[in-house]
Amino acid sequence: MNSEHRFDVLVVGSGASGLNLALELAAFARVAVITKSELHESNTYYAQGGIAAVLDEHDSMQSHITDTLDAGAGLCDEDVVKFIVEHGRESIEKLASYGVEFTTQVGDAGNNEYHLTREGGHSHRRVVHAADATGQAIETTMEERVREAENVTVFEHHNAVDLWCERDIHGRSKRVTGLHALNTKSGEVLAFSAPFVVLATGGVSKVYLYTSNPDICTGDGIAMAWRAGCRVANMEFTQFHPTCLYHPQAKSFLVSEAVRGEGGLLKRPDGTRFMDDFDPRGELAPRDIVARAIDYEMKRLGAPCMYLDISHKGQDFIEEHFPMIYASTKQFGFDMAKEPLPVVPAAHYTCGGVVVDKNGHTDVEGLYAIGEVTYTGLHGGNRLASNSLLECLVYSTAAARDIRDRLHQGQMNEDTLPPTTPPWDESYVTEPDEEVVIAHNWEELRRFMWDYVGIVRTNKRLARAHTRIDMLQAEIIEYYGNTRVTGDLLELRNLAVCAELIIRCAQHRKESRGLHFTLDYPKLTKKTPKPTVLVPRRYPGTERRSA
């Protein structure tokens, strides 16, 4: 294997968590950032809202903790919530040190201070933002810093295939040694080796037909970790963002939670409000409640969408607070300063994922996971708005510190380095001759997940989905084992694994809690709620050959 493919740390994914970890380690280690598209293409880039942090003197850590626990429907890990909330100010200061320019205002004392907005579920204004394009400001700034870092090598258009691990006599993964990645430009599969691998691949909302996420969010890290022997938890909790723009060309355009936070009202097609019928907090109720209310009204009225109206705030206010949303929606023919925007719910955030501790450790030695790919215990049964970027920053900093300490302690010297990842062997596979099958399976998967495992579920729907995913998995495993890999095939394979995990977790939870709502168990269980944890079994036929 070429020497340039051996590093100290492999980072898979290039959102806020992956780039922050790379920057934290750049002075101490040789780092490779492997990303399957351009470096900036991630969920972070498209995040409009901001980062929740206690910065106002009238706010408190305890208030932020309480709001997070309330939104999480009894399933948050309170120690983790406290750990993350207490690092809020530090995370904002770190981004500012990279050069991120957050929106400011003149304070009462005449000094410049961060402008804080409020979003659903928050009892105070505590969301730091860069107008309505916070993610873009964070991602582009961090990308500049990463490209300047001498010790960081970026591999764009490289789609991770699978982790490579040393195994014990029982076939269980002992420690990670690297991974294989497909260069989607050349079609070559490369071997990467490192004593530390960090999964920062984001969530799996692309498993649903309608989503606010970019096309890259196909659950790659969750699926790879599962196949390597890591536990996953709480996959039944997919957050559906209540307000995506309803327009055939808009695809996945998100209308930020901050629009409701600044006074936007949800209305039926006849112009009447409805959120007060569902929750005393109205439009500021947590996302799961708002999404179900919109879904209910759409089904009750047979309407294709509901409407979000902030026109009463005036054009100057809207252009100042939401310049990107205003300009983008105008391109689709809507003037939000004069009329309501048509909106529908769409899959937005994966609240479960790979089980990790406070340093980002997974169940496999040397393998870390950070960001949306993980289950940390922060989000519980429902993510509080703008907590996700905070989690990315806090956990990537913690994981980087842990890796740095282990490097300094000499735990990975020349004598203890794991073996290199063997070259990829394609000597007995054929070229794919029926790629239309991949496209059809992709469409079928996302359609039945939307129909059977969406905002409202039943036992019958979940059973149907489980039957379908078992059949689909068998087809995909056979196809994968006999043909040359492509980007579409890898993503379909990972989506199918994650779909199965979502379905199994949903079938385990015999109650309605947080984002999981089932007509068969509409009430909360009387038992103390616990996370849904799945322990992996070996996937037959999914481990590929090596020379």
Side-chain angles (χ1 to χ4, degrees):
M1 187 182 68
N2 295 333
S3 60
E4 67 261 31
H5 295 138
R6 186 173 187 102
F7 295 86
D8 299 313
V9 184
L10 304 177
V11 182
V12 188
S14 58
S17 56
L19 295 188
N20 185 56
L21 182 133
L23 289 172
E24 294 266 13
L25 290 174
F28 308 96
R30 293 168 300 133
V31 181
V33 176
I34 299 169
T35 183
K36 65 181 181 180
S37 185
E38 285 80 23
L39 188 62
H40 75 268
E41 185 69 5
S42 66
N43 257 348
T44 299
Y45 184 83
Y46 296 95
Q48 298 170 355
I51 306 173
V54 177
L55 300 174
D56 184 77
E57 61 180 10
H58 302 296
D59 197 4
S60 68
M61 299 285 186
Q62 187 54 54
S63 177
H64 190 177
I65 291 168
T66 299
D67 290 344
T68 301
L69 296 175
D70 287 347
L75 281 172
C76 298
D77 183 322
E78 191 165 353
D79 287 341
V80 169
V81 174
K82 186 171 183 287
F83 168 67
I84 292 175
V85 167
E86 288 179 346
H87 286 83
R89 181 181 291 273
E90 172 189 320
S91 298
I92 299 301
E93 291 173 349
K94 174 157 297 184
L95 290 176
S97 73
Y98 290 149
V100 177
E101 296 183 359
F102 293 109
T103 300
T104 59
Q105 63 182 6
V106 178
D108 295 336
N111 58 319
N112 239 19
E113 60 185 32
Y114 292 125
H115 177 268
L116 304 176
T117 190
R118 183 181 175 189
E119 298 186 354
H122 289 276
S123 57
H124 293 273
R125 286 181 171 268
R126 64 168 68 100
V127 179
V128 185
H129 62 102
D132 61 344
T134 308
Q136 184 174 331
I138 292 171
E139 185 73 17
T140 54
T141 302
M142 294 178 79
E143 178 182 356
E144 290 175 6
R145 302 291 86 78
V146 164
R147 292 195 186 279
E148 293 167 356
E150 292 184 3
N151 257 5
V152 179
T153 306
V154 176
F155 292 86
E156 294 176 298
H157 303 287
H158 282 70
N159 196 339
V161 179
D162 254 329
L163 300 166
W164 193 261
C165 301
E166 281 190 301
R167 296 187 177 275
D168 62 21
I169 59 173
H170 303 292
R172 293 186 295 260
S173 296
K174 285 171 50 181
R175 63 172 173 173
V176 70
T177 64
L179 57 84
H180 290 105
L182 169 69
N183 181 331
T184 52
K185 294 288 189 181
S186 69
E188 181 185 7
V189 177
L190 303 178
F192 291 82
S193 296
F196 301 106
V197 178
V198 184
L199 299 174
T201 53
V204 67
S205 288
K206 206 67 184 177
V207 77
Y208 287 102
L209 187 62
Y210 301 112
T211 175
S212 66
N213 288 191
D215 290 342
I216 59 169
C217 297
T218 51
D220 305 322
I222 297 172
M224 287 192 294
W226 175 255
R227 288 192 291 264
C230 297
R231 291 167 298 155
V232 300
N234 279 15
M235 291 294 290
E236 71 268 37
F237 297 114
T238 296
Q239 187 173 72
F240 288 80
H241 196 287
T243 52
C244 281
L245 188 67
Y246 179 69
H247 187 277
Q249 273 78 52
K251 195 175 180 181
S252 58
F253 184 78
L254 182 70
V255 181
S256 171
E257 182 110 8
V259 174
R260 300 200 312 281
E262 293 294 341
L265 302 174
L266 285 165
K267 297 180 177 179
R268 302 180 181 95
D270 65 2
T272 59
R273 291 180 61 205
F274 59 88
M275 274 311 305
D276 287 339
D277 298 339
F278 293 89
D279 193 279
R281 291 165 289 188
E283 279 76 9
L284 290 178
R287 289 178 177 177
D288 60 322
I289 295 173
V290 179
R292 279 200 301 273
I294 294 174
D295 183 70
Y296 176 84
E297 289 294 320
M298 287 171 57
K299 290 175 178 175
R300 183 178 71 85
L301 297 173
C305 63
M306 291 290 114
Y307 293 86
L308 178 59
D309 189 2
I310 197 172
S311 60
H312 54 279
K313 300 290 279 189
Q315 184 152 341
D316 290 344
F317 179 92
I318 291 169
E319 288 196 53
E320 178 185 355
H321 286 75
F322 307 110
M324 189 272 288
I325 298 175
Y326 178 75
S328 298
T329 53
K330 206 158 188 181
Q331 290 180 355
F332 294 113
F334 304 108
D335 188 339
M336 63 188 288
K338 298 178 181 178
E339 62 185 335
L341 298 174
V343 293
V344 293
H348 182 60
Y349 192 87
T350 307
C351 288
V354 183
V355 175
V356 295
D357 67 11
K358 286 183 183 177
N359 288 317
H361 293 151
T362 70
D363 294 326
V364 175
E365 176 64 26
L367 179 64
Y368 294 71
I370 51 177
E372 191 179 352
V373 70
T374 65
Y375 163 78
T376 64
L378 172 65
H379 305 304
N382 182 28
R383 177 180 71 107
L384 182 66
S386 291
N387 267 354
S388 49
L389 283 173
L390 178 60
E391 179 187 45
C392 286
L393 295 165
V394 173
Y395 266 77
S396 57
T397 297
R401 186 182 301 115
D402 190 76
I403 293 172
R404 186 168 65 243
D405 289 347
R406 294 178 68 182
L407 287 168
H408 281 167
Q409 291 165 7
Q411 291 189 23
M412 291 297 171
N413 55 45
E414 288 301 321
D415 295 329
T416 60
L417 281 175
T420 57
T421 303
W424 188 253
D425 181 10
E426 291 189 323
S427 59
Y428 61 88
V429 297
T430 61
E431 293 291 341
D433 59 350
E434 295 184 357
E435 292 195 49
V436 67
V437 174
I438 297 176
H440 287 174
N441 285 350
W442 181 292
E443 182 178 351
E444 178 187 356
L445 171 65
R446 298 179 68 207
R447 170 67 69 178
F448 76 66
M449 286 297 291
W450 182 263
D451 290 342
Y452 298 151
V453 202
I455 296 174
V456 178
R457 301 157 181 179
T458 66
N459 287 343
K460 185 178 289 187
R461 292 175 192 170
L462 292 175
R464 286 174 177 166
H466 206 155
T467 299
R468 301 283 282 279
I469 197 61
D470 284 348
M471 295 173 60
L472 205 55
Q473 288 252 52
E475 289 182 20
I476 293 168
I477 288 172
E478 181 182 5
Y479 195 87
Y480 175 81
N482 293 287
T483 60
R484 195 177 304 276
V485 295
T486 65
D488 287 344
L489 175 58
L490 294 177
E491 291 183 335
L492 174 64
R493 173 181 177 238
N494 291 332
L495 278 176
V497 170
C498 291
E500 181 196 344
L501 297 174
I502 293 169
I503 294 164
R504 288 175 59 190
C505 283
Q507 288 179 315
H508 275 293
R509 188 163 293 282
K510 308 297 186 184
E511 62 171 346
S512 289
R513 182 178 295 275
L515 300 164
H516 174 73
F517 185 82
T518 169
L519 296 176
D520 291 301
Y521 309 100
K523 297 181 180 179
L524 297 175
T525 182
K526 294 181 180 179
K527 300 178 181 178
T528 302
K530 295 180 180 179
T532 307
V533 181
L534 298 181
V535 180
R537 52 181 167 76
R538 191 177 178 85
Y539 269 69
T542 56
E543 293 210 11
R544 284 299 291 262
R545 53 265 160 193
S546 61

